[in-house]
Every structure is written in C-alpha cells, then in structure tokens.
Amino acid sequence: MTRRRSLRELWRAGSAVARDRMASRFGAAVLGVAIAATVAAPMLAPHAAGDHTDRLLNAPPTIPHVRDDAGEWHAPFIYPWRLVSQLEQRYEEDRSTRVPLVWLSHGRLVESSDDARAPLMLLGADSFGRDVFSRVLFGARLSLGLAAAAALGAMLLGSIVGAAAGYLGGLWDDVLMRVTDFVMVLPAIYVALALRAVLPLVLPPRTLFAMLVGIFAVVGAPFIARGVRAIVRSERRLDYASAAEALGASDVRLLARHLLPATRGFIVVQLTLLVPAFIVAEATLSYVGLGFPDPMASWGTMLHDASSNLRVFADFPWLLSPAVAMFLVVFSLNLVLQRAGAAVVYNERP
Amino acid sequence: MSRYIVRRLAFAALLVVVVSSASMILARLAPGDYVDLSLPPEASAEAKAQARARLGLDRSISAQYLDWLGAAARLDFGRSFLYDRPVRELIPERAANTAVLAITALVVATGIGLPLGVVSGSRRGALSGAIRFVSLVLLSMPPLLTSLFLVFVAARTGWFPIGGMGDSAIDVLHHLALPAAAIGLPLAAVLERLQAQAMGEVIGAPFVLAALARGVTRSRVVWRSALKPSLRHVAAVYGLIVGSLLSGSFVVEVITAWPGIGSLMLDALRARDVYLVTGCAGTGALFLGCGTLLSDLALGVVDPRASERVQEAA
C-alpha cells in the first residue's frame, strides 16, 4: 500500500518496533543471567546438590531479613525454622535467634553462618530436605547442558543428512527424505520414549547423558535436514557454485566451503527452536521416570520428585520452582526470537 | 481425488504396521523383561523360566514377531501380561478417552486461537498487544507446564477434580476441562500467532483495499473477505498439530491422571508388557495417519490450489 502515513501511525509503528526491541533485549538479559548462573552454579548455590537436612523436610523458603522484631537494622540475616507439626510438616520462624549470612566464604557467594541449625534455603527444601534453590541451579547444568548438546548433535546429524540428500540427489535424496519425513510425522516424545525404553533403566550418569543426547539428536535432526537439503539444492544451481565446480573444487570443498555456509541463518533459528523443545523433552522423560534417575538434579527429576507428593500443589508450591525456571528460560528465548519473527516456526512440509 | 485418498490410506496403513512392528521389536530388545520386573527377585530360575514359557517370552524375537503378525492379521493383538486381558479389549476405551481429549483440545484451541488471531492480526493497539503477549507467554508453556500449573490451581481452589473419573457425562466433562485446557491453551497460542501473521499479510493485499474503497465496512472485510484466504496457513499446519496433540496428551494424561492411551503406554513400557506396548503404539500411529489425512483434506477445502497440486501428484 502506498499511502502516506499520518504522524500518529508512524509513532505507533515506531513504538511497536521499540517495544519489540526492548522485549528482545529483556529476553536476552534473562537468558544471559540464566547461563551465567548455570556456569557459576557451584559458587552461587549455598549447598551442594546432594546436601540434605533431615530435620527440614519440605521446609518453606527461608526469607532473608534486614530488620528484627525490635525494629533494629542488621546486616542480612535469617531465622531458623522450628517444626510446629511433624505430621503436617509445618514450620514457623524461630524469632529468638538471628543467624547472620556470611558472604564469600568457602568459595560460595553467600551462605548461612550456622548451616547445621539454619541452612539458607531460598526456595525451601524438598521432601529429602535438600535445598531447592541450589538444586535448580545445578539442575540447570544438566537440563540446559543436555538441551544445548542435543541441539548441536541434531545440527551435525541434520546437516550431514540434509547436505547428502541435497547434494547427491536421486535415490539418496528419495530415501533420506522419506526417512526424515517419517520421523517428523511421529510424535517426538513417543520416539524418544521408545528409544529410551530400549536402554537399560540404570546407567552411569555420563553414559546416560550421552545416550539422551543421541536420542534427542535423532529426533531433532529431521527438522534441520529438511531445510539444509532445500537450501543446498537451490544454492547448487547458482552461478557461484558452478564457478567453484568449474575451477575444480572437490565435492567436499564445494559443500563445506560454499554451500553449507548458506544454511547458517536457517540453522541458528532452528537451534534456538530445538533448545526449548529439548529442555521440555528432558523434563518430560525424567518426570515419567525414564530420564535421569533421582539423586541427580535436573529440572525433570526435581519435578518427578515433587510429583510423588500430592500435597505439593496445595502446601509445598516451592517444589515447582524448576517449572518456573523452565518457563523463564523458554519465555526469554521466545522474546528474543519473536523479534526475528520466528517465535512460531513450523517446518512446513512441501 | 479418490486415487489420492487411496494412496494416503495406504500410507496410513504402512505407518501403523511399521510403528507397531518397530515398537514390538524394540520392546523385546529392551533389557529386562516382564518376568524380571514382576516376579520377586528371590524367585527361582525355574519359576522364571516357567513364567517365560507361559507368556511366550522364551522364544526368539523373530518367531514371536511372526506369530504376532499372523495373529494381528486376524485382529488378535495378543494378551497383556500386566492386565491379563486381551489387548483388543483394553485399548478401545483408553483410545476413546485420548480421542475425546485430543478433539476437545483441538476445538478449544481453534475456538480461542483463530478469532483472537484475526483480531490481533487485523488491528494495532492495546488489545492486540495484550493478545500477543498472552500468546507469547502460553507459547513458552508446553503442556507439561500448563498441566502442572492447572493442577496447582485445581489443588488450591478445588474447582477441578484430579483422577477418579466416573461414568456420567457431567463427571467426564468435569474431569475433561483441566487436561483439555492444558493441551488446548498452548495450541491456541500457536494458532493465534499463525493466524495473526497470515491475517496481517492478507490485510495488505490490493483486494482488501479495493473492498474498503468500495465502502464495505471494516469488520465485514476482515471477517468475510480476508478470513478465507488467510485460513490456509493455519490449515496447512493442522497436519503437524496432530503429532503435537499426541505428544502433548501423553504428558498431560500422566500428570492429570486422565485414563488415555498415553498413560497406558507408559505403564506398559515400564512393565515391558510387549503386546500392550505394541497395541498402544499401533493405535497412536492409526490416530496419526487418520489425523494427517483429515487435515490434508481440510486443507483442500480451504485452499483449492492445494488439492489441485495433490491431484497432480497422485
């Protein structure tokens, strides 16, 4: 439409762009904080992932105070929890003693000065008396690490398959694309579930991690392969590709040096779409008990643990913090992506 | 057209056969079998061997597979170890539950997502901004999170029951609300975003401007003239949505204790109940095949060009 826009309209359009930019910067900032917190988990977390206080099962979050009951100001401190009802696992703050927080000791940013009596549990304790906040941080390493590794794996596998199909054409193309179509039609979580079920239930953590990366990579690869194939096919017909071929570039060189770089933009967008999908997939598998096993802290195992207690939802809502963490990460990814106009991208079938 | 449908039906049949065969073989290959998991660990080797012989787990995978295939051709899908009932009796009820859940979720998603997408795609301002924001939030909440959140709300308020579904229609509806919302809301967000994008593109087309210039009212142009051409984008993704419906219903069934095929399959997988796993997987594949076929036909209705392409291809 070539009609002159009124100033008002321009201002509106401009403010929409500005709002989008703000939103995507906000998303990027949250993501940055999340990644930094994940990397620095051993320093930020007041406890190790496995530390438990048997006295404080399902204890609510400890709240840092700066003012005591008499109205006097102090450096940040906490009150210990006192068990009110063993049966209902209800606690109340023991206001008689202040336990100051100590900063930068034992290689940790902050912890309670009396960990045995009053551990610092910013998001409460789970049913084993473990610190939920610390476990969310350590869980991020497993959940986000798995998602990132699996996305990279899917990228590798998908690019190889897509490049082979697009470059070789003919029978290769037919067979590879039929297979990717087939995998794409299947509901991803069932494929992952079925593949996981074939593996032994109990595996050493590292092997399990590698296996899950492999499974997710297989499930995610078709989405990459499709696009890479299409791009390689169309780029190959362009003059620069013919020129390179005429100059005697080998197949591998032509692919690696000339054709695959053209898929960069597509792959970046796909990766950012696969990462949240994999975060959720890990959580789903672990939730139903087929992902990581319990003592390991991942967001899925934490939700699995929470789900074993029906009172969680009514009385111990802090056990659902991993779900909130997951939402924040996926939401900020979407905020970043929506600016690229890709928040909802389905790989449309041809 | 009929040739096309036949071809698609053949594909659906192939899907069912391949998926159930693969899951049967995978379930047999899995380490540990039903006998290991169900008998107490101190059970004697003879007792185990006896149980295996009774269940047919002592035969080779290929022999068992061929037997199953032959029986399946006569619509006998074996007997569940776990429930000790024929798979054919177990599945229909569960499958019906899943179908009810999936269809309700789809209706909810379409009923909410499409109109909101038309609104937010055709105008600017606070309302569409708000719709967009809510969509973005819901997009970031996959069914795993929405169902946890809704169960949380239900536990706090007692508005919705979790588990323990009776037979009366009212009771079923009451139990259905929560899982259907858990699957439907994220899907509504997907549809809203797609529809808004499509609407935005169509609104810029010359024929819309021409209609406006002739004095047709704005709402009539949006809801009549522009709606149909914008629908094909959404119609094109329905085929992919079927898969995500099944994926979504799996986790939602488990969390909200909805007695569907997903939770049945999980129980079967855990217990290494080979025939039941196979039956569930096959049923899922059947849903998938029918769903994608229906969505392709729907696409043909909305976008005649698509069905021409389809006919050329056939």
Side-chain angles (χ1 to χ4, degrees):
Chain A
M1 266 191 285
T2 53
R3 121 187 111 91
R4 286 182 63 183
R5 291 171 157 196
S6 68
L7 265 181
R8 209 176 110 109
E9 256 181 291
L10 276 179
W11 189 80
R12 269 192 179 171
S15 71
V17 171
R19 227 181 8 245
D20 276 6
R21 187 184 303 153
M22 286 251 296
S24 83
R25 280 190 187 158
F26 174 75
V30 173
L31 271 186
V33 170
I35 293 171
T38 309
V39 173
M43 276 152 67
L44 293 176
H47 300 98
D51 283 4
H52 52 95
T53 315
D54 297 334
R55 203 161 50 71
L56 292 174
L57 310 184
N58 291 323
T62 38
I63 303 150
H65 297 269
V66 285
R67 226 177 147 189
D68 64 15
D69 284 345
E72 284 190 44
W73 297 86
H74 300 276
F77 64 92
I78 54 176
Y79 290 120
W81 287 114
R82 188 173 50 208
L83 190 64
V84 182
S85 154
Q86 174 76 46
L87 189 67
E88 292 177 41
Q89 293 185 329
R90 264 193 309 116
Y91 298 83
E92 71 180 21
E93 282 183 332
D94 178 3
R95 294 255 175 185
S96 59
T97 34
R98 287 187 293 109
V99 179
L101 298 179
V102 285
W103 300 83
L104 300 173
S105 72
H106 299 105
R108 291 194 170 122
L109 179 65
V110 59
E111 65 181 344
S112 162
S113 58
D114 187 357
D115 215 45
R117 202 155 59 103
L120 176 66
M121 295 183 173
L122 291 169
L123 291 173
D126 67 8
S127 57
F128 294 94
R130 296 175 297 202
D131 175 20
V132 173
F133 177 72
S134 303
R135 284 175 70 79
V136 166
L137 284 179
F138 282 108
R141 302 191 127 195
L142 212 51
S143 296
L144 300 183
L146 175 67
L152 289 179
M155 180 187 87
L156 260 178
L157 187 62
S159 320
I160 292 173
V161 170
Y167 192 81
L168 299 174
L171 187 65
W172 279 98
D173 189 25
D174 277 351
V175 171
L176 287 175
M177 284 302 109
R178 283 284 144 79
V179 173
T180 56
D181 272 354
F182 195 78
V183 177
M184 273 171 78
V185 166
L186 298 175
I189 196 70
Y190 280 100
V191 180
L193 209 61
L195 291 178
R196 172 63 185 93
V198 181
L199 304 174
L201 280 175
V202 184
L203 283 168
R206 274 168 206 283
T207 323
L208 184 60
F209 186 89
M211 295 285 188
L212 286 178
V213 166
I215 290 173
F216 288 178
V218 168
V219 176
F223 293 90
I224 304 242
R226 270 220 148 263
V228 167
R229 167 194 175 258
I231 294 171
V232 165
R233 260 172 84 100
S234 62
E235 290 287 318
R236 216 197 149 182
R237 296 202 198 99
L238 298 183
D239 290 343
Y240 80 91
S242 322
E245 215 176 341
L247 285 171
S250 68
D251 289 347
V252 173
R253 186 181 163 85
L254 186 60
L255 260 177
R257 185 102 185 99
H258 298 285
L259 300 179
L260 282 180
T263 64
R264 227 174 327 180
F266 167 81
I267 285 182
V268 168
V269 172
Q270 289 299 314
L271 282 186
T272 39
L273 288 169
L274 283 177
V275 166
F278 288 154
I279 294 175
V280 175
E282 181 276 324
T284 308
L285 278 189
S286 297
Y287 185 89
V288 301
L290 286 169
F292 293 110
D294 178 60
M296 292 172 81
S298 84
W299 291 349
T301 55
M302 294 178 71
L303 288 176
H304 173 78
D305 187 33
S307 74
S308 59
N309 189 337
L310 285 174
R311 283 180 56 212
V312 162
F313 296 101
D315 298 337
F316 318 127
W318 52 87
L319 292 188
L320 297 176
S321 342
V324 177
M326 211 184 312
F327 167 74
L328 280 179
V329 168
V330 179
F331 183 58
S332 37
L333 257 173
N334 271 341
L335 280 181
V336 176
L337 273 176
Q338 54 121 26
R339 198 157 160 239
V344 194
V345 174
Y346 271 95
N347 299 63
E348 285 194 40
R349 287 179 294 165
Chain B
M1 195 66 191
S2 58
R3 259 183 70 192
Y4 168 71
I5 293 180
V6 168
R7 226 181 53 147
R8 290 306 307 261
L9 283 176
F11 174 74
L14 184 74
L15 190 72
V16 173
V17 174
V18 171
V19 166
S20 34
S21 303
S23 54
M24 162 119 199
I25 292 165
L26 283 179
R28 265 309 300 268
L29 283 177
D33 61 11
Y34 178 74
V35 173
D36 284 332
L37 295 169
S38 65
L39 289 187
E42 65 271 15
S44 65
E46 290 146 45
K48 284 189 174 180
Q50 238 171 19
R52 284 207 178 90
R54 186 165 52 80
L55 298 170
L57 287 172
D58 54 346
R59 286 175 303 156
S60 71
I61 296 181
S62 55
Q64 197 187 9
Y65 173 67
L66 289 177
D67 271 6
W68 172 82
L69 204 61
R74 284 174 275 120
L75 298 183
D76 169 12
F77 300 103
R79 205 174 170 83
S80 158
F81 308 152
L82 195 56
Y83 296 88
D84 199 25
R85 281 172 61 190
V87 171
R88 203 172 71 177
E89 280 176 23
L90 275 168
I91 293 219
E93 188 195 347
R94 296 297 198 105
N97 282 336
T98 293
V100 166
L101 177 59
I103 291 170
T104 316
L106 194 60
V107 170
V108 167
T110 311
I112 297 176
L114 272 191
L116 289 184
V118 172
V119 171
S120 66
S122 63
R123 57 166 83 194
R124 297 213 186 97
L127 179 63
S128 25
I131 295 176
R132 220 179 92 167
F133 181 74
V134 173
S135 276
L136 215 58
V137 168
L138 282 175
L139 272 183
S140 317
M141 293 185 74
L144 173 73
L145 297 186
T146 48
S147 50
L148 283 174
F149 175 73
L150 289 173
V151 169
F152 173 69
V153 171
R156 282 272 158 141
T157 62
W159 290 341
F160 299 104
I162 307 292
M165 186 163 69
D167 281 331
S168 73
I170 302 279
D171 198 38
V172 170
L173 276 182
H174 199 188
H175 280 84
L176 180 61
L178 198 149
I183 307 175
L185 289 179
L187 208 55
V190 172
L191 293 179
E192 189 277 332
R193 289 286 78 219
L194 279 172
Q195 179 61 25
Q197 214 178 351
M199 203 68 199
E201 280 164 24
V202 173
I203 284 282
F207 81 90
V208 171
L209 192 59
L212 284 173
R214 280 201 307 276
V216 183
T217 59
R218 197 186 145 78
S219 64
R220 203 183 148 87
V221 171
V222 168
W223 291 97
R224 288 267 177 105
S225 325
L227 184 58
K228 196 176 170 190
S230 70
L231 276 182
R232 71 190 165 85
H233 289 270
V234 175
V237 299
Y238 266 86
L240 296 174
I241 283 178
V242 183
S244 64
L245 265 180
L246 282 177
S247 275
S249 78
F250 167 72
V251 62
V252 170
E253 279 172 14
V254 173
I255 292 178
T256 66
W258 179 261
I261 204 104
S263 41
L264 185 66
M265 175 144 173
L266 182 64
D267 291 342
L269 269 177
R270 278 203 189 125
R272 305 277 191 238
D273 188 343
V274 179
Y275 294 119
L276 194 55
V277 169
T278 312
C280 291
T283 315
L286 189 66
F287 279 159
L288 203 62
C290 297
T292 41
L293 176 62
L294 284 179
S295 70
D296 278 3
L297 295 179
L299 181 60
V301 173
V302 180
D303 185 6
R305 286 173 305 175
S307 69
E308 273 167 31
R309 275 204 298 277
V310 157
Q311 276 163 23
E312 278 163 26

